[in-house]
Amino acid sequence: MGLRPYRWTGIQVVAVWAATAMACTGPTTSESDGSLPAARSATATSPQASVSPIDSRVPVLVGDPIDVASLSGRILFSTEEDIYTANADGTGPIRVTRREGPEFDPAWAPDGSRIVYRDSRRGINHDDEIFVMNADGTGPTNLTKNPGNDWGPDWSPDGTTIVFNSDRDGLPMGGFLMNADGLHLRRIPTDAYVGYPAWSPDGTRIAFMGGASATEYDIWVVDVDGTNLVQV
């Protein structure tokens, strides 16, 4: 297929299965005490279609808006430097990473006890590693320990497996699986470039950003064993 190694440079896109996660973007600055600025209140309103200034197509709105006040639990998000948790309505943000250098791309373990994330403290795209830590930020542990660039981790619904993308061993950027403790590493056998993989709710498929070349940013779905590759 004429594949060649590449690296993501500036744009980060996440493939997320519908109705399984809430994606949040944090500000790039924080208060002097390490907390985020106070969250603005949010209420459910009827969705309104709007036209993007760079795309004349009108989005198709599906489903009812979510009443934020009805949500519970903690959400997880990151800036370009640190990882935070917060209440589901955005209040009570807590920074859980405080080491110097970028730590981001977090994902919850299904039971909420741990967080898997990208450690780029040596510089982005310079020996990026996959780390796990406790939900309060304690016990950060390197799972990958490879000079290649590993990032985009996501935890399987049953909590046993972590998927991520990597350019290790001089191969094109691909998808990898490993046990939650970092053991039993294996590559997902597909020729597609794989970036920012995300599990399906039933744990049988993986959605990702990529395609046949380094310049493609389409959304694809593949079975965990590498079969049934489909462009969405």
Side-chain angles (χ1 to χ4, degrees):
M1 191 177 290
L3 301 179
R4 60 187 186 279
Y6 78 106
R7 288 180 173 83
W8 304 106
T9 55
I11 301 174
Q12 297 178 9
V13 181
V14 181
V16 180
W17 290 91
T20 63
M22 179 184 297
C24 300
T25 302
T28 57
T29 59
S30 58
E31 302 291 359
S32 60
D33 63 357
S35 63
L36 289 171
R40 298 177 181 177
S41 61
T43 57
T45 58
S46 299
Q48 299 293 323
S50 60
V51 178
S52 166
I54 60 174
D55 190 337
S56 61
R57 295 172 297 178
V58 176
V60 177
L61 303 177
V62 179
D64 297 324
I66 296 174
D67 181 3
V68 176
S70 69
L71 301 177
S72 61
R74 301 283 291 178
I75 60 175
L76 183 64
F77 62 99
S78 66
T79 67
E80 293 181 351
E81 290 289 327
D82 284 299
I83 297 169
Y84 293 77
T85 65
N87 295 324
D89 63 0
T91 61
I94 297 174
R95 191 170 80 184
V96 295
T97 54
R98 293 183 177 274
R99 298 187 294 177
E100 183 176 355
E103 296 173 291
F104 57 108
D105 283 355
W108 283 116
D111 64 2
S113 65
R114 290 180 293 170
I115 297 168
V116 63
Y117 64 98
R118 172 182 179 175
D119 181 294
S120 296
R121 290 177 297 122
R122 293 148 299 283
I124 294 177
N125 290 348
H126 294 281
D127 187 18
D128 301 298
E129 302 282 6
I130 304 299
F131 272 61
V132 294
M133 62 181 171
N134 296 322
D136 62 0
T138 60
T141 303
N142 188 350
L143 296 183
T144 45
K145 300 176 183 176
N146 186 278
N149 295 303
D150 307 314
W151 69 79
D154 191 37
W155 222 303
S156 66
D158 64 5
T160 64
T161 308
I162 293 170
V163 65
F164 64 99
N165 57 262
S166 177
D167 65 359
R168 60 180 56 213
D169 302 326
L171 297 174
M173 187 68 70
F176 286 79
L177 302 168
M178 63 181 171
N179 293 352
D181 59 5
L183 300 177
H184 191 36
L185 177 72
R186 61 271 193 201
R187 187 182 182 100
I188 300 173
T190 175
D191 288 335
Y193 287 84
V194 176
Y196 298 97
W199 290 93
S200 65
D202 63 3
T204 64
R205 293 176 295 168
I206 293 171
F208 63 91
M209 178 188 74
S213 73
T215 60
E216 295 183 28
Y217 302 96
D218 296 312
I219 304 301
W220 296 74
V221 178
V222 66
D223 288 354
V224 174
D225 63 2
T227 61
N228 298 320
L229 179 65
V230 177
Q231 182 178 353
V232 178

